[in-house]
Amino acid sequence: MIPIAKPLIGEAEVDAVSSVLRSGMIAQGPKVVEFEEAFARYTGVEHAIAVNSGTAALHVSLLANGIGQGDEVITSSFSFIATGNSILATGATPVFADIRPDTFNIDPDSILEKITPKTKAIMPVHLYGQSADMQAIMEIAEDHDLAVIEDACQAHGAGFNGKRVGSFGTGAFSFYPTKNMTTSEGGMITTDDVQVAEKARMIRAHGSKQRYMHELLGYNYRMTDIAAAIGLVQLDRIDEFNSARQKNASVLTDGLQDLDYITTPVVRQGCEHVYHQYTVRTENRDTLADYLKDNGVGCGIYYPIPIHQQPLYRNLSYTDNLPETEKAAEEVLSLPVHPAVEKADIEHIITTIRNWE
């Protein structure tokens, strides 16, 4: 079976972890600081704050931007549940805009329709590794005095008009094992705003700047030096990993784009897509998924149930009508594109799909 995802962990990561273990400094320490500084340089921002998950990165990013009870945050329902739940966790209300059918990213026109006097922020999701339309989103945010929190959990290294995602507003990244780079578990917040950075550092450490002096409500969201050591090695390889994903995606598109029953991914002008997922559309998605698995091709559905249709949100009285989101949830299917996929694997995937009738 060709797996849908496979983290690449080598001897360099093993050696880095062993070095940390031998040092005796295994909680948040010098390796975390080194990783933060390296990730800030890579993303093109002044500050990076490491935390213990992508969900924590989203939660802290919202709190550090002053989002709380009574506020509304406009975001996409076509995402992992953490996107919506991180907003709920602040006491604010997620408001779901629809998506563009070509990229699956939030539609700026739909954002405009959702703005109310309670709106305090926009949280675009850079889904599957392609940036949302940050030019339009930043213009909307400026016109309406809104914070922008980028859910970049799937988009390490992705770009929009020459800038890396996570450098437009406050960025939130995940280092879960299936992401383009990993720390096993972990997350990162990126920002150019010194006040947001300072508050984020406090929130991740029980609201303190100095030990046993707690100025605001915070959490234990710290990253370990063990995780940071892995992250430093992975960060050195992220461009290599992304390049392999892009090459695999190009071969898949060349081999599938002429089929009338498959819609291959669209890359919008000005975007550098890093293909966290290679996602096609087909009206007979479930049948194709079963066929692929029967023929040794792993695949995934991201996401079969939009956030606004999840039981939790139904119980919260969400009754949104998001036609593009709901249609995408019925048609999307992701194929293996990760760096461990070999040429023969790609050829097998293409041949298998082309033989599907």
Side-chain angles (χ1 to χ4, degrees):
M1 179 70 75
I2 304 168
I4 184 63
K6 184 178 180 180
L8 292 180
I9 301 294
E11 287 302 315
E13 287 87 349
V14 173
D15 291 344
V17 169
S18 295
S19 178
V20 169
L21 292 174
R22 292 190 190 98
S23 75
M25 177 62 79
I26 61 176
Q28 182 175 296
K31 282 295 176 185
V32 169
V33 174
E34 186 180 349
F35 184 34
E36 289 173 332
E37 291 173 348
F39 199 84
R41 287 193 300 271
Y42 180 78
T43 308
V45 297
E46 292 295 322
H47 308 278
I49 302 93
V51 290
N52 58 15
S53 72
T55 304
L58 290 168
H59 187 205
V60 174
S61 293
L62 288 158
L63 292 172
N65 277 276
I67 307 303
Q69 192 72 38
D71 296 335
E72 293 179 352
V73 178
I74 299 173
T75 191
S76 172
S77 180
F78 197 54
S79 182
F80 182 58
I81 193 71
T83 301
N85 284 1
S86 61
I87 299 168
L88 286 181
T90 70
T93 300
V95 174
F96 296 112
D98 212 350
I99 60 171
R100 285 176 167 167
D102 55 350
T103 64
F104 310 106
N105 280 325
I106 195 166
D107 185 342
D109 292 336
S110 186
I111 292 173
L112 284 169
E113 295 172 358
K114 301 290 182 174
I115 293 174
T116 75
K118 294 182 179 180
T119 306
K120 293 296 187 294
I122 306 169
M123 183 189 282
V125 181
H126 304 307
L127 198 69
Y128 303 143
Q130 180 166 207
S131 174
D133 185 346
M134 292 311 298
Q135 180 175 338
I137 289 168
M138 296 306 292
E139 288 174 357
I140 293 169
E142 183 175 353
D143 288 346
H144 295 272
D145 193 24
L146 304 175
V148 175
I149 292 92
E150 300 173 67
D151 183 340
C153 289
Q154 299 183 2
H156 318 68
F160 182 84
N161 288 348
K163 288 185 64 176
R164 286 205 165 115
V165 300
S167 66
F168 292 88
T170 301
F173 294 83
S174 168
F175 301 125
Y176 187 72
T178 60
K179 297 300 194 291
N180 290 36
M181 61 172 285
T182 186
T183 62
S184 75
E185 278 278 15
M188 191 74 77
I189 300 155
T190 54
T191 181
D192 283 324
D193 189 319
V194 65
Q195 293 181 327
V196 169
E198 182 176 313
K199 192 171 181 182
R201 292 189 181 100
M202 293 173 67
I203 292 168
R204 75 167 171 190
H206 290 292
S208 66
K209 290 183 187 176
Q210 61 186 73
R211 198 172 187 184
Y212 303 130
M213 180 70 72
H214 306 276
E215 301 177 37
L216 48 81
L217 177 63
Y219 305 87
N220 181 6
Y221 282 163
R222 295 182 294 259
M223 178 181 281
T224 68
D225 265 25
I226 297 169
I230 298 171
L232 280 163
V233 177
Q234 291 270 302
L235 185 59
D236 279 344
R237 301 185 66 191
I238 185 63
D239 289 340
E240 168 196 341
F241 291 160
N242 285 344
S243 177
R245 288 175 179 272
Q246 290 164 340
K247 288 177 183 176
N248 288 339
S250 178
V251 176
L252 284 169
T253 295
D254 286 346
L256 300 174
Q257 63 185 349
D258 67 311
L259 299 175
D260 58 9
Y261 51 85
I262 292 286
T263 301
T264 53
V266 171
V267 181
R268 287 181 65 87
Q269 185 175 358
C271 288
E272 181 177 359
H273 199 325
V274 295
Y275 292 98
H276 171 63
Q277 299 291 349
Y278 182 91
T279 302
V280 301
R281 297 185 75 141
T282 179
E283 293 182 358
N284 299 307
R285 188 266 311 286
D286 294 340
T287 303
L288 176 57
D290 290 340
Y291 166 78
L292 288 172
K293 291 171 185 175
D294 288 344
N295 285 274
V297 178
C299 53
I301 300 169
Y302 311 106
Y303 295 89
I305 305 175
I307 298 173
H308 73 283
Q309 293 183 333
Q310 292 287 345
L312 166 63
Y313 287 80
R314 289 302 196 199
N315 290 337
L316 292 171
S317 300
Y318 277 77
T319 58
D320 302 64
N321 177 30
L322 303 172
E324 295 297 347
T325 296
E326 291 159 21
K327 191 170 189 289
E330 296 175 351
E331 296 181 353
V332 294
L333 186 68
S334 295
L335 306 174
V337 74
H338 53 85
V341 178
E342 298 180 356
K343 182 180 179 181
D345 297 327
I346 297 289
E347 291 173 353
H348 177 66
I349 294 167
I350 292 170
T351 300
T352 302
I353 293 176
R354 295 191 72 85
N355 289 338
W356 180 52
E357 297 291 344

